[in-house]
Amino acid sequence: MTMEQSGATGRSGAGPRPTRKGSPADEGKPAPTGAGDRVDGGTSTAADTNTARADKDAARAGKDAARAGKDAAVDKDAAIGKDAAIGKDAAIGKDAAVDKDAAADKGTAPGGKGGTDAPGDSTDEGSTDAAAGPSKRDSDGESGSTGTAETAGTDGGKAVDPWTAFGPAPEPVLGRARRAVRAVGRFLVHEWTLAAVAALALAAAMTWPTLRYPRYTLPQDYWDPSLQAWQMAWSGHILRTDPAMLWHSNTFFPENWSFAFSDTLLGYAPAGLIGVGPEHAVLRYNIMFVLAHALAAFGAYALARQLGAGRIGGAVAGAGFTYAPWLLAQAGHLHIISNGGIPLALAMLARGHGWSLRYGYRPRRRHAGWALAGWLVAAWQLSLGFGIGLPFAYLLAGVVLVSAVLWFVRRRRVKRPFGRRLFLADLVGGLVFAAVGGLLAIPFFKVAELHPNAARTLAEIQLYSPPASGLFTAPAESRVWGELHEGARAALPWPPEMTLLPGFALYALAAGGLFFSVWRVRHRLFLLAGVLVTMALAMGTRFLDGRFTYVPLFDYLPGWNGLRTPGRMMLWATLLLGLLAAGAVTAFCARVRELAAERVPPWPGPWLRLATLLPLALVLAEGLNVTPHPVVPQQPAVMRTVDGPLLVLPSSQNLDQPVMLWSTDRFQQMVNGGSGFTPASQARTREATVSFPDYASIDYLRRIGVRNVVVLRDRLGGTPWEGMLDRPVEGLGVTREQVGDAVVYRL
C-alpha cells in the first residue's frame, strides 16, 4: 500500500519517497504523510481508518528514525525533515495529520478550500496544542513522541531548542537597587578595598597611642610637630582668605617668603581648611600622622603587587617600608613620614606602562589613565616637601631618560612599544609634575638668595653623616631594640639622625631573596645594587669621604645642597629591601601551596598557614614603638586677644614652635618662628631684647614695627630674659598689663 511504503521509507531513512496517484507529487510536490487519501474533500470512514493507521506508522517510523544513527540524523527529509518520521509535518506540524497544506488552517483538505473536517481529526485542538508544544495525542501514542525524534516546537515561527528545559535557569534581571547593592558588595570585598582597610587599621594600632588623646598630645615631642601643625593650619587659612600671600606667613616678621623657610606640607592644605585654633591643629596633625602611615603601607603593597609579588609578599614589603625601626626616630617629622606617595606613584606608573618586574613588559596591559594618575600622585608627593621629594624627582627624571634611550634602541624591534594615548598621558603628567616642582622651587630659591646662611655646607653634612654602625642601630623609640642598643647609640654623634636600622627581619628576608625568589637573578642583582648605593648615600661623607657618592650630588645637582641629613636616603634602601623580601616571601608561599597540594585533602594545615604569615609578623614586631606623646602646652589666653605685630618672650628655636601653634586662632603677625635656620633679622631681635624693657630695645622694636610684647612668666627661668619683669617701665612710653599668666607690654 502507499502508506505502508511511505512508512517503510521513513524507517529506512533513505531512498525516494513514493507518490500517490492524483496527489500533488505529480506536480513535483512532496506527498502529505500521516494522513489518509482524501479526494475532493471527502470524509469517508475508510479515510479515517487509513489516517489512524498512517499516524501509527508515522509514530513507529519516527522511533525507528531516532535510532537510525548518523544517516537518519543527517537526512533532513527522512529523519527530521518534512517526511513522516519526525518532520515539522509529521511530528509537530500545525495539524494532527502533518500535511503542511492541510494543517495550514482549520483542517481543510489538501488542494481544497472549505473542506469539512474528517471524523477523528483533532483539527482545532491539535493545531493549538502543536503550536504551543507537544500534541495532546502524544500521550496516546497517536502522534510523534517528544523524544529525540520530536526535537522542537515553534515560537512565533522560530524553532525552539528542546534542550532549553534541561539547561540552567536564566539569571533573573536585577533592578537598579539590587545591582547597586551587588556592585557595592563587590567593591567591599575587592583586594584593594581590603588592603586599604587593613592599612588603616594597622596604622591606628602601630602608631598607638596617637589617637588616644588626639586633641592634646603630639608624637615624640611638641617642637617640630607644633611647627608642622601650624604649617597645615596656615596653608588652609591663607588659601581660604588670601591665597596670594601664601608664602608670606604671619611668622618671622618682618621677613617675606617665610613659609618657605622649611618644608611646607603644602599637599595637606585641604585638611587645613577644616577647623580653627590650636586644638584643631593638633587633632589635624595626629589624623594626618596616622593616615601617612596607612598610605605608606598601602603604596608599598601596591608597588610590590604590581611588580609581581603575592599578597603576603606585598604585605611584608608594605610593613617593612612603613614600620622600619629607623623611622621611629622620625616620628616628629611628618614630612619624612609622609612618603606613601612615592611607592604609590611608582606602582601607578608601572601599571600604566604595562610593566612588571616578574612578567616584564606587557603592551596589552598599558593604561594611559593609570600613568597620568601616577604623575599626579608624584606631583602631590613633591608638594609635601623637598626633603624626600627632591631625590624622588631626580629618580623619575632618570627613569624617563633611561626609558627614552631604551625606546630609541628598540623602536625597530618592537612594534609600537609606546602607544599614542600613553605618550600623551606621560607628556601631560610629566609637564604637570615639572610645573609643580618648578613653582614650588621659586620661593626656596628666593629664600636662598635673601638668606645665604640658609645654605648647607659640607661641614654641616659631615656633622649629620652616620657611620656604618648606624645601619644596624635602632633608635630609642623601638620597643624591641631600644634598650638593647643604648650603648651603640651613645657612640653616635647625633643619634636621632644616625640610627638607621631598617629591621633585622627585613635584612634576613632580603638576603634570602637573593637566593630564593620569584624575581629573576638579574633583577635581584639590580635591587641589591640599589640597596648598596642608597646606603652609601645615606652615610653621606662617612663612606669614602663622600667623594664618589654624596659630594658630587651636593656640588652639581640643583637643590641637593639644601638636604642637611643624608641618613634620610635610607628610605630608598628600605623600599628596595622590602621588594627583595617580597620576592622571597612570594616564592616561599608558592612552595607552601605546592606542599599543600600533595596533602590529602589538598588544603594547607594550620601550621602551614601560620608559616606563611611568620615573615609579616616578624617585620611588624620590629616596628613596635615606645614613642612618647607629650601633652602640648596650653595656649595662653593672651594669644586670643593681643594684636600684632608682636614678639613673644622668651624666644628660641624650640620655644617659638609652640608659639606658632598658638597663633592659629588669629594668625597675628609675630617675630617668633622656628625653622631649619635662623634668619639674621630674628637673631638681631633676640639679641636686642635681652635687656628689654629699656630705651634701646623699645626703640629697635618700634623701628621694625612691633606693637606689643608678650612675656610668658612661667618660661623665663633659665633664659637670657630671666628677671626682666622686675625692671621698671616708667618714662619709657610703654604700658604694662597682666593677662592671666602673661604680661603684655604695649609699645
Side-chain angles (χ1 to χ4, degrees):
M1 293 178 60
T2 303
M3 293 306 298
E4 292 174 353
Q5 291 174 356
S6 177
T9 303
R11 286 190 298 270
S12 64
R17 290 182 290 178
T19 59
R20 294 176 295 155
K21 294 181 180 181
S23 69
D26 296 337
E27 300 175 6
K29 297 182 181 180
T33 3
D37 295 336
R38 294 165 59 177
V39 183
D40 297 330
T43 57
S44 63
T45 303
D48 295 340
T49 304
N50 291 338
T51 300
R53 188 182 298 114
D55 290 342
K56 293 180 180 180
D57 291 341
R60 252 190 256 102
K63 294 179 181 179
D64 293 338
R67 294 189 294 266
K70 290 184 178 181
D71 294 336
V74 172
D75 189 337
K76 188 175 183 180
D77 292 330
I80 58 172
K82 301 174 183 178
D83 195 59
I86 52 170
K88 289 183 180 179
D89 300 325
I92 55 171
K94 297 180 181 179
D95 186 72
V98 290
D99 187 315
K100 185 185 275 188
D101 296 328
D105 187 25
K106 295 185 181 180
T108 54
K113 297 181 180 180
T116 58
D117 296 336
D121 288 346
S122 303
T123 52
D124 293 338
E125 185 177 352
S127 177
T128 304
D129 292 340
S135 173
K136 289 184 178 181
R137 291 166 56 190
D138 292 328
S139 60
D140 298 330
E142 300 269 333
S143 181
S145 67
T146 60
T148 305
E150 182 180 346
T151 57
T154 58
D155 183 10
K158 297 182 180 180
V160 178
D161 186 0
W163 300 106
T164 303
F166 299 96
E171 294 187 5
V173 179
L174 302 179
R176 287 185 179 180
R178 295 191 63 184
R179 287 200 305 270
V181 170
R182 181 170 293 187
V184 171
R186 287 195 298 266
F187 172 78
L188 292 177
V189 299
H190 196 277
E191 176 187 356
W192 299 116
T193 304
L194 297 178
V197 172
L200 287 170
L202 187 62
M206 294 294 289
T207 60
W208 189 261
T210 298
L211 295 181
R212 185 176 184 180
Y213 303 109
R215 293 175 179 266
Y216 311 109
T217 63
L218 286 171
Q220 197 172 59
D221 56 57
Y222 53 77
W223 297 321
D224 283 352
S226 293
L227 162 65
Q228 292 165 340
W230 167 84
Q231 287 175 328
M232 286 187 283
W234 167 258
S235 60
H237 161 76
I238 202 64
L239 291 179
R240 188 171 54 235
T241 56
D242 189 4
M245 297 298 293
L246 171 65
W247 298 104
H248 310 292
S249 74
N250 68 309
T251 58
F252 297 98
F253 178 84
E255 295 289 345
N256 293 321
W257 307 100
S258 55
F259 194 50
F261 284 1
S262 57
D263 276 341
T264 62
L265 294 173
L266 188 59
Y268 289 152
L273 296 171
I274 306 172
V276 177
E279 193 172 292
H280 287 163
V282 172
L283 174 62
R284 183 187 304 114
Y285 180 93
N286 285 320
I287 291 175
M288 300 312 298
F289 181 79
V290 175
L291 292 179
H293 283 82
L295 180 62
F298 181 82
Y301 174 84
L303 178 59
R305 290 287 285 142
Q306 171 60 32
L307 296 182
R311 291 183 176 87
I312 299 179
V316 169
F321 177 70
T322 308
Y323 303 106
W326 76 273
L327 282 170
L328 296 176
Q330 303 294 328
H333 301 142
L334 185 59
H335 60 295
I336 305 300
I337 298 297
S338 300
N339 53 48
I342 292 176
L344 184 60
L346 293 176
M348 289 179 169
L349 289 171
R351 171 68 179 87
H353 291 79
W355 187 81
S356 169
L357 192 64
R358 186 175 182 181
Y359 304 109
Y361 175 61
R362 294 176 288 181
R364 293 185 178 181
R365 290 180 174 265
R366 294 181 309 197
H367 196 289
W370 280 114
L372 180 60
W375 284 110
L376 297 179
V377 171
W380 173 79
Q381 175 66 57
L382 191 62
S383 71
L384 294 177
F386 285 106
I388 60 173
L390 188 65
F392 181 44
Y394 280 117
L395 171 70
L396 289 180
V399 170
V400 171
L401 179 61
V402 171
S403 300
V405 172
L406 292 177
W407 174 82
F408 182 79
V409 172
R410 299 179 180 179
R411 70 187 189 281
R412 296 182 179 179
R413 285 183 289 172
V414 181
K415 185 178 180 180
R416 295 187 65 186
F418 215 78
R420 181 180 303 174
R421 297 179 64 181
L422 182 58
F423 175 78
L424 291 177
D426 281 333
L427 180 62
V428 173
L431 290 176
V432 170
F433 179 80
V436 170
L439 292 175
L440 290 176
I442 292 175
F444 290 93
F445 282 118
K446 192 68 176 178
V447 169
E449 177 185 348
L450 297 175
H451 303 276
N453 62 321
R456 311 302 183 187
T457 63
L458 280 176
E460 193 173 5
I461 299 300
Q462 186 174 4
L463 178 64
Y464 289 100
S465 296
S469 61
L471 302 175
F472 303 93
T473 305
E477 292 83 359
S478 173
R479 182 179 293 274
V480 176
W481 306 114
E483 293 183 1
L484 296 175
H485 290 185
E486 185 176 356
R489 286 194 303 275
L492 298 175
W494 186 251
E497 296 290 350
M498 295 183 180
T499 50
L500 303 180
L501 175 68
F504 290 111
L506 193 62
Y507 272 143
L509 292 171
L514 295 175
F515 305 98
F516 179 69
S517 176
V518 295
W519 313 134
R520 295 183 178 90
V521 175
R522 67 175 183 273
H523 294 152
R524 302 178 211 172
L525 296 178
F526 285 146
L527 291 173
L528 176 61
V531 170
L532 296 178
V533 168
T534 51
M535 282 185 171
L537 291 175
M539 293 175 64
T541 58
R542 294 296 186 103
F543 182 79
L544 301 177
D545 294 330
R547 288 185 304 233
F548 308 106
T549 55
Y550 202 88
V551 173
L553 302 180
F554 183 88
D555 289 337
Y556 300 110
L557 284 185
W560 202 276
N561 56 2
L563 305 181
R564 180 177 59 175
T565 52
R568 293 171 183 176
M569 291 297 296
M570 198 63 190
L571 182 75
W572 298 95
T574 306
L575 180 61
L576 297 175
L577 287 170
L579 294 178
L580 274 172
V585 173
T586 302
F588 172 65
C589 293
R591 182 56 181 159
V592 168
R593 286 193 296 270
E594 293 175 3
L595 293 176
E598 299 173 1
R599 296 168 57 91
V600 179
W603 189 256
W607 294 110
L608 284 177
R609 294 183 189 177
L610 291 176
T612 60
L613 296 176
L614 182 60
L616 177 61
L618 292 175
V619 170
L620 288 175
E622 285 195 278
L624 296 175
N625 73 88
V626 288
T627 303
H629 286 71
V631 177
V632 180
Q634 189 175 5
Q635 179 195 39
V638 67
M639 294 298 297
R640 294 190 292 270
T641 59
V642 69
D643 295 326
L646 60 88
L647 169 66
V648 178
L649 294 176
S651 175
S652 67
Q653 167 75 16
N654 288 338
L655 293 176
D656 279 1
Q657 289 171 333
V659 175
M660 300 170 75
L661 176 63
W662 295 337
S663 72
T664 54
D665 269 324
R666 304 179 62 193
F667 291 100
Q668 312 97 314
Q669 287 184 310
M670 61 176 60
V671 178
N672 303 80
S675 70
F677 75 100
T678 300
S681 62
Q682 188 183 55
R684 287 194 300 267
T685 301
R686 288 172 180 169
E687 183 179 357
T689 57
V690 170
S691 60
F692 183 87
D694 63 357
Y695 286 108
S697 60
I698 292 173
D699 180 64
Y700 175 82
L701 292 175
R702 284 172 175 167
R703 279 190 287 110
I704 66 173
V706 174
R707 297 171 55 191
N708 296 299
V709 176
V710 176
V711 179
L712 303 178
R713 186 188 298 273
D714 58 346
R715 293 194 167 207
L716 290 175
T719 69
W721 294 269
E722 187 175 11
M724 65 179 300
L725 294 179
D726 298 330
R727 298 168 189 163
V729 296
E730 289 79 4
L732 297 177
V734 300
T735 60
R736 185 167 64 181
E737 178 185 358
Q738 182 83 22
V739 182
D741 292 335
V743 177
V744 180
Y745 292 84
R746 304 191 184 277
L747 309 184

